[in-house]
């Protein structure tokens, strides 16, 4: 079974803090993704990576950065958290050689910025 | 510019009846379509998919229909069960690019 884990289920941070959200997958997947989910807005892609040390901007990268030093780990960084970054953050992974296009999601991190 | 649209934010259905969730897309390059199901406080889980070369795919109580000329797909759940109550996301993809998701439809199955 594919497992995608996220470091925290719930997180509360203050405005201006630097926030790290960690994601680890155990299936040797090449592709990893970060989304945020907000009511009425669905799943919006923040950043993705197709290989170690590689990153691509998604639809809403402003205010975020990412790091992928190892294949299994993809970190999302909020350089200076703001209240409009309060959201559910979802990490996903996939492989182009597996069941085509299917992305496996982690349980999500509910981040509240006060 | 929304490439994948789910125009119904919510849907209520009685237990045992059919649930039909709809999805429209605008990008004719999409060649694969997926449905994900999401419970509160959990990540989305893959439900069913369909390639653009097919018009129907069935998996137990779940069937997805694709109408390429209309750029429309639908998910049918028969019979609907209370455990099907969740948010359903339609997604589309072209090649090895990230999935493009719709905004979701919240399905409530009433016992």
């Amino acid at each position: 079974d594919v497992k995608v884990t996220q470091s925290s289920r719930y997180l509360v941070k203050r405005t201006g803090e630097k926030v790290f959200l960690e994601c680890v997958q155990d299936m040797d997947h090449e592709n990893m993704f970060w989304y945020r989910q907000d009511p009425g807005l669905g799943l919006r892609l923040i950043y993705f990576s197709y290989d170690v040390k590689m990153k691509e901007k998604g639809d809403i990268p402003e205010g975020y950065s990412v790091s992928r030093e190892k294949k299994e780990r993809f970190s999302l960084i909020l350089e200076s958290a703001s209240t409009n970054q309060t959201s559910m953050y979802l990490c996903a992974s996939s492989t182009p050689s597996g069941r085509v296009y299917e992305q496996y999601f982690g349980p999500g991190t509910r981040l509240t910025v006060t | 510019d929304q490439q994948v649209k789910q125009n119904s934010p919510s849907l209520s259905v009685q237990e045992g009846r059919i649930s039909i969730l709809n999805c429209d897309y605008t990008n004719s390059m999409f060649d694969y379509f997926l449905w994900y199901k999401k419970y509160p406080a959990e990540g989305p889980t893959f439900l069913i998919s369909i390639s653009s070369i097919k018009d129907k795919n069935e998996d137990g109580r779940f069937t997805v229909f694709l109408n390429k000329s209309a750029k429309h797909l639908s998910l049918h759940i028969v019979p609907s069960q209370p455990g099907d109550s969740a948010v359903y996301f339609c997604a589309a993809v072209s090649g090895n690019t990230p999935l493009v998701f719709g905004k979701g439809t919240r399905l409530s199955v009433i016992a």
Side-chain angles (χ1 to χ4, degrees):
Chain A
D1 251 8
V2 176
K3 197 156 187 193
V4 180
T5 56
Q6 296 183 228
S7 50
S8 305
R9 293 299 301 270
Y10 300 93
L11 210 51
V12 179
K13 295 291 181 181
R14 291 195 181 276
T15 302
E17 276 193 83
K18 191 168 185 175
V19 182
F20 293 87
L21 302 182
E22 305 285 340
C23 175
V24 177
Q25 49 92 6
D26 66 359
M27 283 302 293
D28 202 35
H29 282 176
E30 291 85 355
N31 307 333
M32 296 189 75
F33 309 86
W34 275 107
Y35 294 86
R36 61 179 282 178
Q37 184 200 2
D38 301 288
L41 297 178
L43 296 168
R44 294 183 292 167
L45 182 64
I46 304 172
Y47 267 96
F48 61 101
S49 168
Y50 285 159
D51 203 352
V52 176
K53 296 195 185 292
M54 176 266 182
K55 60 185 177 185
E56 293 279 350
K57 292 180 180 178
D59 300 319
I60 52 163
E62 297 78 19
Y64 303 94
S65 63
V66 290
S67 171
R68 193 164 182 202
E69 296 295 318
K70 293 185 177 181
K71 190 176 185 180
E72 68 271 18
R73 188 180 297 269
F74 193 34
S75 303
L76 180 69
I77 303 152
L78 287 66
E79 296 290 343
S80 176
S82 64
T83 54
N84 63 13
Q85 292 179 310
T86 291
S87 187
M88 167 72 90
Y89 288 88
L90 293 157
C91 175
S93 72
S94 71
T95 176
S97 60
R99 189 157 63 177
V100 182
Y101 309 130
E102 181 181 338
Q103 290 181 192
Y104 298 85
F105 283 84
T109 296
R110 170 72 64 186
L111 173 67
T112 303
V113 183
T114 62
Chain B
D1 178 29
Q2 234 185 308
Q3 297 186 71
V4 177
K5 299 178 187 178
Q6 294 178 257
N7 292 321
S8 298
S10 63
L11 176 68
S12 281
V13 171
Q14 281 216 301
E15 181 180 4
R17 307 294 288 265
I18 184 171
S19 295
I20 300 176
L21 293 89
N22 293 303
C23 179
D24 297 295
Y25 62 96
T26 57
N27 187 345
S28 56
M29 298 299 292
F30 287 144
D31 55 9
Y32 205 79
F33 304 89
L34 305 90
W35 285 94
Y36 279 79
K37 177 178 177 179
K38 185 181 185 300
Y39 292 117
E42 293 183 13
T45 54
F46 170 76
L47 189 58
I48 192 168
S49 62
I50 188 167
S51 163
S52 60
I53 62 173
K54 295 187 174 182
D55 55 18
K56 178 182 174 181
N57 188 26
E58 201 169 344
D59 184 1
R61 296 185 298 114
F62 303 92
T63 303
V64 56
F65 295 92
L66 175 63
N67 183 334
K68 279 185 66 179
S69 60
K71 293 192 177 69
H72 177 83
L73 64 155
S74 60
L75 174 68
H76 292 212
I77 307 173
V78 184
S80 301
Q81 300 174 353
D84 296 329
S85 296
V87 177
Y88 290 79
F89 291 100
C90 171
V93 66
S94 169
N96 188 27
T97 57
L99 296 179
V100 179
F101 286 88
K103 292 185 177 181
T105 297
R106 181 177 301 278
L107 173 67
S108 300
V109 180
I110 304 158

